[in-house]
Amino acid sequence: MKNDPENLVSRRKWLASALMGGGLLLSYGTLVVQGLLYLLPEQVRPRTRKIFAGQLSDFKVGGVKPVYDLEGNQILLKRSDESLKAFSTVCPHLGCRVHWDEPNNQFFCPCHRGVFNADGVAVSGPPADAKQSLFEVELDVDKAGGVVYLAVKDVKKRS
């Protein structure tokens, strides 16, 4: 009974069945993944655009210069000895407008007396309690040409 040819499955038939089963599982798995990717919305990163902010020589060391993005929001560019940083003027605590307090060398939010140091880190007030910092805007400095560009959110065209 052990060597009965009718009951024995040849290696070739077993291998063919295993490969067909694996291929079916792989194809159905691919179909399920593609179907889910079709149904679920894609995470879209906001489109950005580089805008001209000025010449590097326009920004004096220790000073802050305002620049506006495509939506008219003010961005403050602060130049230190070694770097140039750009900060949003929206306070992370309640969304009020932050301004530069030059005599004290700090950013100040008048709505709740929040104070941020020259690097945008909250040092007192509700933003410091919540460990919030000013949002830093991406910038690109072309050192060869001395040109400063800001990467800001692109605005959609109205139809």
Side-chain angles (χ1 to χ4, degrees), residues 5-149:
E6 292 177 9
N7 289 336
L8 286 177
V9 177
S10 71
R11 289 184 209 164
R12 186 174 293 166
K13 284 185 180 179
W14 182 87
L15 184 60
S17 298
L19 288 175
M20 276 196 304
L24 277 173
L25 283 175
L26 185 65
S27 62
Y28 282 131
T30 303
L31 179 67
V32 167
V33 169
Q34 290 298 320
L36 288 174
L37 289 175
Y38 176 76
L39 294 175
L40 298 175
E42 184 179 331
Q43 291 287 347
V44 179
R45 185 174 177 221
R47 291 175 37 138
T48 59
R49 178 180 301 227
K50 285 188 177 183
I51 61 170
F52 175 75
Q55 293 288 331
L56 191 57
S57 59
D58 295 341
F59 303 97
K60 68 176 186 165
V61 175
V64 172
K65 182 179 177 186
V67 176
Y68 294 90
D69 68 6
L70 297 173
E71 295 177 322
N73 299 317
Q74 190 179 51
I75 298 170
L76 299 175
L77 277 81
K78 165 102 176 68
R79 185 171 182 185
S80 64
D81 292 333
E82 64 277 345
S83 67
L84 181 67
K85 291 185 178 183
F87 299 102
S88 169
T89 58
V90 177
C91 179
H93 182 245
L94 291 177
C96 299
R97 293 293 173 184
V98 174
H99 68 271
W100 176 247
D101 181 14
E102 191 166 352
N104 295 318
N105 196 34
Q106 64 190 13
F107 295 98
F108 181 72
C109 180
C111 292
H112 49 258
R113 304 185 59 79
V115 177
F116 302 85
N117 67 14
D119 292 324
V121 178
V123 292
S124 71
D129 296 340
K131 295 182 178 33
Q132 297 171 319
S133 299
L134 290 177
F135 177 71
E136 198 166 334
V137 178
E138 182 183 344
L139 58 82
D140 183 29
V141 179
D142 177 12
K143 297 195 188 235
V147 180
V148 179
Y149 297 99

